[in-house]
Structures are given as C-alpha cells and as structure tokens.
Amino acid sequence: MKIGSYAGITRPAFLLVHPDLPILIYGKPQLKPMVPLGISGHYARRMGLITKIGCSVAERTFTSTSRDSSKPKTRDVRGGRKQGGSSPRYMSPTLRDMKNEKIANRARVYEFLRSIGIVPDELDGLELPVTAEVMRERVDFLHHLGLTVEDINNYPLVLGCSVKKNMVPVLDYLGKLGVRKSSFSEFIRRYPQVLHASVVVDIAPVVKYLQGMDIKPNDIPVVLEKYPEVLGFKLEGTMSTAVAYLVGIGVARREIGIMLTKYPEILGMRVGRVVKPFVEYLESLGIPRLAVARLIEKRPHILGFGLQDRVIPNIECLLNCNVRRASLPSVVAQYPEIIGIDLEPKLISQQSLLHSIIELGSEEFSRVFEKMPQIVSLGKTAIVKHVDFLKDCGFSLQQVREIVQGCPQVLALNIDIMKLSFDYFKMEMGRPLDDLVTFPAFFTYGLESTIKPRHKMIAKKGLKCSLSWLLNCSDEKFEQRMDYETIDMEEMEMPSFDMNTLMEPRSDDESDSDYEDYSEDEEV
C-alpha cells in the first residue's frame, strides 16, 4: 500500500504543490527528490535546500524518538555542546566560590602557623596543605626530626615539602647510606634544602661523584654528616675545580679521598677566592709549593683558616713578637695550626708563664717558640709539672732554663718515659748532668730502640763521645760511625727542623707530627 502526501508553501501570488514527498514504507522513512513545477531556477534551489534541511531534522527526530523517547533532547551551544542547556554565565559563581574557599583555607593555615610562633610571611605563592590539620601533621613531623620553631622560621620554605612525597624518601635514602638518624636534625638544620631534593636527580649523582673521588663507601655518611651542603653543589662546578687545583700543586691523587673525608668543606671552596690565594700566601712566606701541598695533605682543615681574617694577622703578630722572618716557614711547617688559632693572647700568656717559673726573657721566648711553636698550646699544669721534674733530677734553675731553650720539646714529653731514660742515663751511662744540659734532646729518643743498643755498642768498643754524636743520626749513619778511628766534632750539632723532610713522599704508615694537638695537660 502506498500513501502519497502533499505539502504546500503559500505565497501571496501562487501555490506550489509537491507530490511524492517523504513516503513511509514498512515503517521506515524514505526520502525522494521533489520536482518543482512552474517555478524558476532560483526558487527551485531555495526550496531544495529547505527540503533537505527539513528532511534531515525530521530523520534525526524520528530516530531519536523511536530509540529512546525518555532521553532528554540535546541543545547546541555556540562554541561547544552542553547537556541540559547549561550556559557559561552560570560557571562564574562556582569559580568565585572555589577561589574564596581557597583563600579562607590558606588564612586558616596561616592562623595556625602564627599560633605556634611560625611567621608565614615568606610562604605567599608557595603551595601549602589545603587544611590546617595537614599542616599540623607536617609541622609535627619536623618537630619529630628535632627541628624547632626557630629552625623553621630560619627556613620557612621547608613547610612546602610534603611528608610522603619529599621528606620520607630523602630521609630513607640517607638512612640507607649510613647517615645516623641522630644527626638528621643537625643535617636538616644546616641544609634544609635537602628536603626539596630528588633522590634520583639530585642526591644519588653526588654520592656517586664522591665515591669517584676515592672516598670509601663507609666514609660517605661521614662526609655527608660533616658537610651536608655538598649535596647542593654542581658536579662539574666548584667540586671538580677545587680537587683539580690541589692535584695540580702536588697533592697526591691517592690522598684526595682521605683529605675529603677529613675535611669535605674543600669541595665547596672556590679556587680563585680561597684555595689559590691561600697557597700563594704560604709560598710568599718561603714555604715551597710542594711543602704546602704536603701540609694540606696532612691537615686539610688549614684551608678553612680565613686568609684575611686570621692567617695574615697571625703572621704579623709573630713578627711583632720578635719571631724572625726567616724562621716563619719552619714555624708554619711544624705547626700549621699556628696560623688559624687566636694567637696573640696565647703568646702573651705563655711568655708570662715561662718568665715566672724559669725567668725566661722575651727574646729567649721567641727563640724557644721558633724551635717548638706548639708551646703556645701547652697547658700551664703540664709546663709546671715538667719544670718540677727537671728540678727534682738535680738541675738548677739556670740549667732548666738552658734545657728549655735548647730543646723545648721536653716540656711536652711523657714524664714517666723521661724518668726511665734519666734513670738509665744516671745509673748505666754514668754521665754528668751537664751532658743533658748540652744535649737535652736525649729525652726525645727511644730508650729501648735507640739509647740502650747504641750505648752498649760504644761501651763495647771503649769509645768516648757526646750524646749528640751518639744519638743525632740515623741507624745507617751510626753504623758508619762505628768504623771511625776518630770522632768528628762537626757532627755534634743540635737537631733542627728540616723543610726537605716535609717534601719527601709520604709512606703509607707515616704518622703526623708528635705535637699535632694539645689539650690543657696533654703530654707526648
């Protein structure tokens, strides 16, 4: 069965009739072309367009209705389609509400921080927890690490670090390296920026670099605890240039790892501003560059002595105290700490003390200081004890003064060992006390290793010699002396510091100076 329909469009002057418009066959819409009758091409084109649009809308409407008549109709919105007919002008109140709520939350967070004494002025623009409760948890975690409110105020940006995303991963990694948990508070206090760092991007590469500097894995946590700021340096920046310069002046490459473990602050020193001027100043005093390198190997912390604030003023103080300029290289080489301590009051105190107990004059004190600059660090009790020991041995005050002038090291030796050596000198060697006044360095030689065996050898040969000829030489040299027919008096000189010994290659078992550090009553 075929049903036909007609559609007409009324115009003032004519009526258009279109047979064969959409026909419904077996329940499906069919579109057939419409043939205009008796109209111009212009109107035909217009009517064809209208027909096509009308059929298209009709088809969509029919299909939508037939599939699910319960679904709401869609509305096209210019610039995008929205369901339910919403319009952009209805979004503004929601955005304003969200912004106001964010401002209110931040105000509550600031109020909480102020209530516990933290000044949040520097936190504007920093992403913070949404609620005061989350911020409280963050502050509590920092307190648990040992940080105080003052510490947080010193670096308030630490409040921008998430506990789970930032703090815990960093601290876990440091703990696995061996950094002690008890040091976390001081670690973060000195370098709070570490809590912002990425383990993979920032921390791990620095650790790998330190290992490449021959720092042993077990010493890595020691280095980090001593100098946590190293985690903030660029690998190819300050660290590499400082090490390269030290190797260039003669520091042994195999000593770098040991030096950095002792004093990792070297990694943060700028060559042009700190290291190079320091080395060149010591050279200007008369210390050869290679000797300077050896001093730095043994005591790398001397690089931390401020050149303008401490080193130069101390050298000027020595010159003002009648220390001869020619003796400055020996003084600094023997006791490098002399250029970094608060020197002037120590010099005045020690000079006054020695004057009061052995009547040592200022000029004489300067000569004593040149021979043993460590004397400025000896405690009063130790000095008095050694002077009393010498008096108990039978030496007069004049003789004690001469002994101290000849070998001031006797004021720092172990008294029990000195007693054993003196007893052997008196009972077995049978020499007069004047021999010790002439050669007080006798007390500095090992009794079992040197004094006894050599004395037995000359006694067996029936030789008569001074203590200096007997002791002031190496074992090889002494063996040669045993073949002498006569004793060369020119070889009987007092021992003195030799700068060349400082520049000799260090042996693996070489120890530092016997007078490296002193406490109030320390004896060597």
Side-chain angles (χ1 to χ4, degrees):
M1 179 178 181
K2 184 175 180 180
I3 300 175
S5 64
Y6 291 89
I9 299 177
T10 305
R11 286 289 185 178
F14 53 86
L15 173 66
L16 297 180
V17 180
H18 297 275
D20 299 329
L21 283 179
I23 301 172
L24 183 63
I25 301 177
Y26 302 114
K28 296 183 180 180
Q30 297 290 331
L31 297 180
K32 290 187 177 182
M34 297 177 293
V35 180
L37 298 176
I39 62 174
S40 66
H42 171 72
Y43 283 101
R45 285 193 298 270
R46 289 187 58 187
M47 294 309 300
L49 179 61
I50 293 173
T51 304
K52 290 180 181 179
I53 295 176
C55 294
S56 176
V57 173
E59 183 178 17
R60 283 204 309 272
T61 304
F62 177 83
T63 303
S64 174
T65 304
S66 61
R67 289 183 179 178
D68 188 359
S69 59
S70 63
K71 291 183 180 181
K73 295 183 179 180
T74 60
R75 169 182 289 185
D76 287 345
V77 179
R78 188 174 185 83
R81 295 182 177 179
K82 301 292 182 179
Q83 295 292 332
S86 60
S87 175
R89 65 174 178 272
Y90 296 110
M91 298 296 292
S92 297
T94 304
L95 292 175
R96 285 197 297 269
D97 291 343
M98 291 174 61
K99 183 176 180 180
N100 292 336
E101 182 179 0
K102 185 176 181 180
I103 293 175
N105 288 336
R106 197 174 190 90
R108 284 189 287 269
V109 170
Y110 279 15
E111 182 180 359
F112 161 71
L113 293 175
R114 292 190 182 96
S115 69
I116 60 175
I118 297 176
V119 181
D121 295 350
E122 297 183 26
L123 301 180
D124 293 343
L126 184 68
E127 185 176 352
L128 297 177
V130 176
T131 65
E133 288 73 17
V134 177
M135 177 58 78
R136 183 186 299 275
E137 294 176 359
R138 190 169 295 184
V139 172
D140 289 344
F141 186 83
L142 293 173
H143 285 333
H144 178 72
L145 294 177
L147 270 65
T148 64
V149 170
E150 182 180 359
D151 296 329
I152 297 175
N153 278 328
N154 289 335
Y155 189 74
L157 298 182
V158 73
L159 295 174
C161 297
S162 168
V163 173
K164 294 182 179 180
K165 296 180 180 179
N166 301 109
M167 301 185 193
V168 171
V170 168
L171 297 177
D172 282 348
Y173 180 76
L174 293 176
K176 291 177 181 178
L177 288 176
V179 177
R180 298 169 299 171
K181 291 185 178 180
S182 59
S183 69
F184 279 172
S185 58
E186 182 62 22
F187 194 105
I188 298 173
R189 189 175 293 114
R190 289 182 56 182
Y191 186 61
Q193 294 90 338
V194 70
L195 296 180
H196 295 286
S198 164
V199 171
V200 176
V201 177
D202 302 317
I203 303 179
V206 174
V207 172
K208 185 176 180 180
Y209 180 88
L210 295 177
Q211 292 173 340
M213 290 288 101
D214 295 333
I215 299 177
K216 299 178 181 178
N218 291 338
D219 291 332
I220 293 295
V222 177
V223 171
L224 295 180
E225 288 181 15
K226 287 182 178 180
Y227 194 52
E229 294 88 344
V230 72
L231 294 176
F233 295 140
K234 294 182 179 179
L235 301 183
E236 301 303 324
T238 303
M239 292 198 290
S240 59
T241 54
V243 172
Y245 178 82
L246 292 175
V247 172
I249 66 171
V251 172
R253 184 65 180 81
R254 62 188 178 90
E255 298 292 330
I256 292 295
I258 300 174
M259 287 173 49
L260 296 180
T261 301
K262 289 181 179 179
Y263 194 67
E265 286 84 352
I266 292 176
L267 293 169
M269 293 181 176
R270 296 192 176 277
V271 173
R273 296 181 182 178
V274 180
V275 185
K276 189 172 183 286
F278 180 87
V279 171
E280 291 177 347
Y281 181 76
L282 293 188
E283 284 187 281
S284 71
L285 298 178
I287 305 175
R289 172 167 287 200
L290 185 56
V292 175
R294 294 291 180 265
L295 290 176
I296 295 174
E297 284 181 8
K298 292 182 178 182
R299 297 172 178 82
H301 62 274
I302 65 175
L303 287 171
F305 297 155
L307 182 60
Q308 300 296 331
D309 298 337
R310 182 67 73 184
V311 178
I312 294 178
N314 278 0
I315 294 298
E316 292 175 350
C317 176
L318 293 177
L319 295 174
N320 294 335
C321 291
N322 299 319
V323 174
R324 293 169 295 188
R325 182 174 291 275
S327 299
L328 289 177
S330 173
V331 168
V332 175
Q334 289 184 77
Y335 192 45
E337 282 75 8
I338 202 71
I339 60 176
I341 62 177
D342 189 8
L343 182 59
E344 185 173 5
K346 289 181 177 292
L347 283 172
I348 295 174
S349 175
Q350 296 300 73
Q351 181 177 337
S352 176
L353 174 63
L354 290 174
H355 176 73
S356 65
I357 61 176
I358 60 173
E359 299 179 0
L360 192 69
S362 60
E363 189 69 26
E364 295 170 330
F365 174 79
S366 298
R367 304 291 82 79
V368 167
F369 176 84
E370 290 176 358
K371 292 180 178 180
M372 194 187 85
Q374 296 90 341
I375 196 170
V376 298
S377 297
L378 286 177
K380 177 181 179 181
T381 303
I383 293 177
V384 173
K385 187 188 299 184
H386 285 77
V387 170
D388 290 342
F389 165 75
L390 294 174
K391 289 180 178 180
D392 293 340
C393 289
F395 296 104
S396 66
L397 181 62
Q398 173 65 26
Q399 289 177 317
V400 172
R401 183 165 60 249
E402 292 181 16
I403 289 174
V404 172
Q405 288 180 259
C407 183
Q409 287 81 0
V410 297
L411 297 177
L413 298 173
N414 185 292
I415 287 185
D416 293 333
I417 295 177
M418 291 179 68
K419 288 180 179 178
L420 294 176
S421 297
F422 180 76
D423 290 342
Y424 184 82
F425 170 85
K426 184 177 181 181
M427 304 300 296
E428 299 296 332
M429 301 177 74
R431 290 174 175 265
L433 292 179
D434 285 342
D435 283 2
L436 289 178
V437 176
T438 303
F439 189 72
F442 167 85
F443 290 106
T444 66
Y445 291 91
L447 178 61
E448 299 295 333
S449 63
T450 306
I451 298 176
K452 282 185 178 183
R454 292 190 182 186
H455 170 68
K456 291 178 180 179
M457 291 178 70
I458 64 169
K460 184 177 181 180
K461 296 191 67 170
L463 294 176
K464 297 293 184 180
C465 66
S466 68
L467 290 178
S468 176
W469 191 92
L470 176 68
L471 300 174
N472 187 23
C473 64
S474 64
D475 290 339
E476 293 78 11
K477 183 66 174 178
F478 183 75
E479 292 288 345
Q480 296 175 11
R481 288 180 177 182
M482 288 297 93
D483 296 332
Y484 291 174
E485 296 294 334
T486 60
I487 297 176
D488 189 352
M489 298 302 294
E490 293 182 358
E491 295 181 327
M492 299 171 56
E493 298 179 355
M494 288 294 295
S496 59
F497 178 78
D498 184 3
M499 183 70 69
N500 292 325
T501 60
L502 184 62
M503 294 186 285
E504 294 175 355
R506 297 184 63 185
S507 60
D508 293 337
D509 58 349
E510 181 181 352
S511 62
D512 290 339
S513 169
D514 291 336
Y515 309 98
E516 180 174 355
D517 298 300
Y518 288 98
S519 59
E520 177 65 21
D521 298 315
E522 184 176 355
E523 297 177 3
V524 178

